[in-house]
Amino acid sequence: MEASNARYELNGKNYQCPIELSVSVIAGRWKPSILFKLLDGKKRYGELKKLIEGINHKMLAEQLRDLEEAGLISRHVYPVVPPKVEYELTALGEGLRTAIISLIQWGEQFRLEGTAIREELPDQDEPTLVPIRA
């Protein structure tokens, strides 16, 4: 691929390349997990909370809001009591399906091959601290 001089901007911030922009939109501890869980279809807030181990209410709400603002997911509120809210991928979010599946496959490969490679490496002693004179 040829590098271009195009600039990429989102919410007033400039990015050097489309990869930097893309990663900034989906990066974080929880966003990839949310997107992965929504690949199967609509999910209610409570379902997502149960499916994503370790996420708290505040963080889930914040990450869902960020993904909605980016246009990757949609939020549908039903006028019932108690409130029913569903989230699903938008067409733009669906565009990430292939990338997410590729990351899943790469993660599995890395888990298997990376573990084997790390086990083959010789044990290293703790690093020696060397004082530095000013």
Side-chain angles (χ1 to χ4, degrees):
M1 288 187 141
E2 189 175 310
S4 93
N5 290 333
R7 302 297 287 176
Y8 302 87
E9 188 266 332
L10 178 67
N11 297 331
K13 184 171 180 187
N14 290 308
Y15 299 91
Q16 297 179 50
C17 69
I19 293 172
E20 187 180 1
L21 172 63
S22 301
V23 169
S24 76
V25 173
I26 64 170
R29 171 72 175 92
W30 304 109
K31 288 178 188 174
S33 295
I34 293 168
L35 293 168
F36 170 66
K37 299 301 181 187
L38 292 174
L39 286 180
D40 293 337
K42 292 180 186 177
K43 299 278 186 293
R44 292 183 66 174
Y45 180 90
E47 287 179 273
L48 287 169
K49 180 95 170 57
K50 287 177 186 172
L51 289 170
I52 303 171
E53 191 176 313
I55 194 167
N56 63 38
H57 166 73
K58 179 184 177 215
M59 189 55 63
L60 179 57
E62 184 180 302
Q63 299 296 284
L64 287 167
R65 195 174 316 112
D66 288 351
L67 290 168
E68 186 180 7
E69 286 175 8
L72 299 180
I73 65 171
S74 64
R75 177 178 184 257
H76 186 78
V77 181
Y78 295 90
V80 295
V81 177
K84 177 181 176 182
V85 180
E86 288 183 334
Y87 296 89
E88 68 180 320
L89 294 175
T90 61
L92 187 59
E94 274 291 335
L96 286 168
R97 181 176 292 275
T98 304
I100 293 169
I101 290 169
S102 292
L103 285 170
I104 292 164
Q105 292 168 343
W106 185 87
E108 278 300 312
Q109 180 182 355
F110 179 78
R111 182 180 66 88
L112 297 171
E113 294 177 12
T115 301
I117 290 169
R118 287 187 298 276
E119 287 174 355
E120 291 174 10
L121 293 175
D123 288 335
Q124 296 180 3
D125 294 330
E126 287 292 317
T128 304
L129 297 177
V130 178
I132 299 174
R133 291 186 191 168

